[in-house]
Amino acid sequence: MTDRARPPGTRPSTRRGARTGRRAGDSGTREAILQAARAQFAEHGYDGATIRAIAAAAAVDPALVHHFYGSKESLFAAAMQLPVIPGEVISAVMAGHEHTDGFGAHIVRSVLAVWESAEVRGAFQAMLRSALTSDKAAATLREFISAAILRPVASVAGGTDPERTPFRASLVASQMVGLAVGRYILRFGPVAEASPEELAAAIGPTIDRYLTGDIGGLPNA
Amino acid sequence: MTDRARPPGTRPSTRRGARTGRRAGDSGTREAILQAARAQFAEHGYDGATIRAIAAAAAVDPALVHHFYGSKESLFAAAMQLPVIPGEVISAVMAGHEHTDGFGAHIVRSVLAVWESAEVRGAFQAMLRSALTSDKAAATLREFISAAILRPVASVAGGTDPERTPFRASLVASQMVGLAVGRYILRFGPVAEASPEELAAAIGPTIDRYLTGDIGGLPNA
């Protein structure tokens, strides 16, 4: 397990098999980590699973898990075979953009660009299917969405009511999830056929309002 | 099969077993019709299945199917064990309301009231699950949504662009489906815990805009 000493940026293939004591090369180790991760996420949920416990279950050093997969979020994405890391997509979408009125449209356009990949759609369908068949899978997915999607979205939400930013983020997610389900799974009506630009123009202002506009503050909100 | 002669409004129970030639009473006949309906919807989809073919498969007169179930929509709802008939819920929600700014909030509030029933949620989950596991089931559900949900919603959509009312209806559906998935299936964040009033206040204006407001008309729309 000497891979944990590999400097960042070194490609594993250049050192494959160069040392002893490693099990069946990087790919075997990686697969063992992913299997352990899937088991730990399934048993303890996203929040409850730890890199340390996953490493122990895979009989590797935690540093190696970090080395191969970086964050828990990336490890989850790899274990669930997500073709993208949602938090990284969101960060990229948010980067360098201000809260102008076109921000919501920019979000819709950018997320649609990711979703148009059949791989991403397949992963979304598989996750939704598992959430529909297992309460435990739903809980894990919920925790992942909260940590990896709602938190970064909330970081760009605003308004005069900072205590409501989590609500704002979940409103954004509700519209984007509905767009995904309507366009790619149920494929109902024109939402399935509209161009990304049409959808960005129609739905963008919704995202803008959810993020920073008037969402009807209630006395007890 | 003399039931087809029964005048509308006559309760079946008052005549149960009063005539001969009927198979195992109303409940047996009804079950045969529902089984035939499920098979026909599965094979031909919602649009392709006909009351006539369902009646033939159940070896009853089409008028009896109409008598028991009314419309194809009601028959589909019964065959799929939907606890409500979506079109009837939508008609009730729309009835007697004008396109004021509170209309969207009224829709959100009314639909949430229906969804809060565990039975309705169970049916929604079952339909979504089947749509996720079978392309054919997804197609049937899509056609049903189009006929039974999008069409009545489109009938109250407005704006200066009547050719875009189907798009408006599908935008409404995308937000409401996302609310359902977020609140009841993935149960992410505050959307799952917010009160119906909070959700109506936040999401209502979205529905208003989708129905009658500016949705960013494009030259080629």
Side-chain angles (χ1 to χ4, degrees), chain A residues 127-165:
Chain A
M127 293 185 78
L128 196 53
R129 195 185 300 125
S130 75
L132 278 163
T133 34
S134 151
D135 283 348
K136 221 159 183 179
T140 301
L141 184 54
R142 172 164 60 254
E143 290 165 8
F144 175 69
I145 289 173
S146 178
I149 298 179
L150 297 188
R151 208 175 301 154
V153 172
S155 74
V156 297
T160 54
D161 42 8
E163 75 285 3
R164 295 192 91 195
T165 52

Side-chain angles (χ1 to χ4, degrees), chain A residues 142 175 187 206 209-210, chain B residues 142 175 187 202 206 209-210:
Chain A
R142 172 164 60 254
Q175 173 61 87
R187 296 203 295 276
T206 299
R209 188 170 61 80
Y210 288 163
Chain B
R142 171 163 63 254
Q175 172 61 85
R187 297 202 295 276
T206 300
R209 188 172 60 81
Y210 288 163

Side-chain angles (χ1 to χ4, degrees), chain A residues 47-139:
Chain A
D47 290 344
T50 63
I51 297 270
R52 177 170 298 274
I54 290 166
V60 302
D61 191 284
L64 184 64
V65 179
H66 279 293
H67 174 72
F68 276 151
Y69 295 104
S71 62
K72 183 158 86 168
E73 185 192 345
S74 310
L75 176 57
F76 182 83
M80 299 298 151
Q81 301 187 290
L82 303 190
V84 295
I85 301 169
E88 293 189 0
V89 171
I90 292 171
S91 299
V93 168
M94 305 299 192
H97 277 269
E98 300 295 322
H99 289 293
T100 62
D101 263 4
F103 188 54
H106 168 69
I107 291 178
V108 174
R109 208 180 289 119
S110 307
V111 172
L112 282 172
V114 175
W115 282 342
E116 298 290 324
S117 137
E119 249 191 321
V120 172
R121 287 205 305 275
F124 175 67
Q125 292 184 2
M127 293 185 78
L128 196 53
R129 195 185 300 125
S130 75
L132 278 163
T133 34
S134 151
D135 283 348
K136 221 159 183 179

Side-chain angles (χ1 to χ4, degrees), chain A residues 124-129 131-133 135 138-139 141-142 145-146 150 164 166-171 173-175 177-179 181-182 185-192 194-195 197-199 201-207 209-210 214-218 220-221, chain B residues 124-129 131-133 135 138-139 141-142 145-146 150 164 166-171 173-175 177-179 181-182 185-192 194-195 197-199 201-207 209-210 214-218 220-221:
Chain A
F124 175 67
Q125 292 184 2
M127 293 185 78
L128 196 53
R129 195 185 300 125
L132 278 163
T133 34
D135 283 348
L141 184 54
R142 172 164 60 254
I145 289 173
S146 178
L150 297 188
R164 295 192 91 195
F167 184 46
R168 291 178 178 278
S170 71
L171 288 169
S174 80
Q175 173 61 87
V177 162
L179 177 58
V181 171
I185 294 175
L186 300 178
R187 296 203 295 276
F188 53 64
V191 146
S195 70
E197 271 315 308
E198 244 179 316
L199 292 167
I203 295 175
T206 299
I207 306 301
R209 188 170 61 80
Y210 288 163
D214 176 11
I215 54 166
L218 293 178
N220 61 342
Chain B
F124 175 67
Q125 291 185 2
M127 293 185 79
L128 196 53
R129 195 184 300 126
L132 279 163
T133 33
D135 283 348
L141 184 54
R142 171 163 63 254
I145 289 172
S146 179
L150 297 187
R164 296 191 91 196
F167 185 45
R168 291 177 176 279
S170 70
L171 288 169
S174 81
Q175 172 61 85
V177 163
L179 177 58
V181 171
I185 294 175
L186 300 178
R187 297 202 295 276
F188 53 64
V191 145
S195 70
E197 269 317 308
E198 243 179 317
L199 292 167
I203 296 175
T206 300
I207 306 300
R209 188 172 60 81
Y210 288 163
D214 177 8
I215 54 167
L218 294 178
N220 62 341

Side-chain angles (χ1 to χ4, degrees), chain B residues 48-87:
Chain B
T50 63
I51 296 270
R52 177 171 298 272
I54 290 165
V60 302
D61 191 284
L64 184 63
V65 178
H66 279 293
H67 175 72
F68 275 150
Y69 294 104
S71 63
K72 183 158 87 170
E73 185 193 343
S74 310
L75 176 57
F76 182 83
M80 299 299 149
Q81 301 186 289
L82 303 188
V84 295
I85 301 169

